Amino acid sequence: MRLSPVCADHAALKKHARQYDLLLSGSDQIWNPKIFPDRHFDPVFFGTFSQMRKIAYAPSFGIPKIPEEMVEELNGYLEQFSHIGVRETQGREIVREASGREVPVVLDPTLLLTAQQWSEMANVPEGYPAPADGTSGGYILCYCINKPGALSSYVRALAEKTGLPVVQLCGIRQK
């Protein structure tokens, strides 16, 4: 897939979008308004910077229901998509309630590849030496939308038990 350079703002997204045939949005909790600092939808994840054809694959709302005052806004965003497949059944219900559209629940994209395919694409992180015994080594990856909170003590105990280093990707999403 040909990817655009990293874009820092709406104007850059709009400029680079012109060179593509369609905009594919997904996955994870890109449509969860509650994870952004202002607790509103981020229009970028709905492709508002472009009028091109839009498809959504496995976006998640990450919440069971959209606040009533945000349903009309969500419907406006959803109208721009020619195809939508959501990650969870609750997402399907949210789309149905907001737009009247029936959309399928699709597989999380991380599960579309086999373990072997993921291994072939994997890179050893910089500064992380490959083990001398030829194995892949290892680490504990802690990935949270917000700060790990109660999970911290569990991760620490797991690291002590296994002797593996912890790589932590946590924090509130930034626009």
Side-chain angles (χ1 to χ4, degrees), residues 29-116:
Q29 294 191 41
I30 63 169
W31 290 355
N32 180 349
K34 302 298 181 182
I35 63 172
F36 297 105
D38 63 3
R39 317 247 325 138
H40 288 277
F41 293 116
D42 186 334
V44 167
F45 290 115
F46 293 95
T48 58
F49 53 87
S50 174
Q51 296 305 311
M52 72 172 58
R53 181 176 176 215
K54 296 177 181 81
I55 295 173
Y57 184 83
S60 172
F61 290 93
I63 53 177
K65 193 161 180 63
I66 297 298
E68 189 61 39
E69 66 276 7
M70 299 175 84
V71 171
E72 188 176 328
E73 176 187 6
L74 175 60
N75 183 42
Y77 291 140
L78 296 176
E79 286 177 343
Q80 299 174 33
F81 286 83
S82 63
H83 294 81
I84 299 173
V86 293
R87 184 186 286 217
E88 305 108 351
T89 55
Q90 71 187 24
R92 178 175 55 199
E93 295 304 313
I94 289 171
V95 171
R96 180 185 298 137
E97 290 174 15
S99 69
R101 290 173 72 169
E102 294 294 331
V103 300
V105 175
V106 297
L107 192 62
D108 180 317
T110 64
L111 302 174
L112 294 174
L113 299 179
T114 66
Q116 177 64 34

Side-chain angles (χ1 to χ4, degrees), residues 122-139 164-165:
N123 293 322
V124 175
E126 188 175 321
Y128 192 86
D133 64 4
T135 64
S136 63
Y139 54 91
L164 294 172

Side-chain angles (χ1 to χ4, degrees), residues 9 23 148 160 170:
D9 57 34
L23 178 65
E160 288 173 13
C170 301

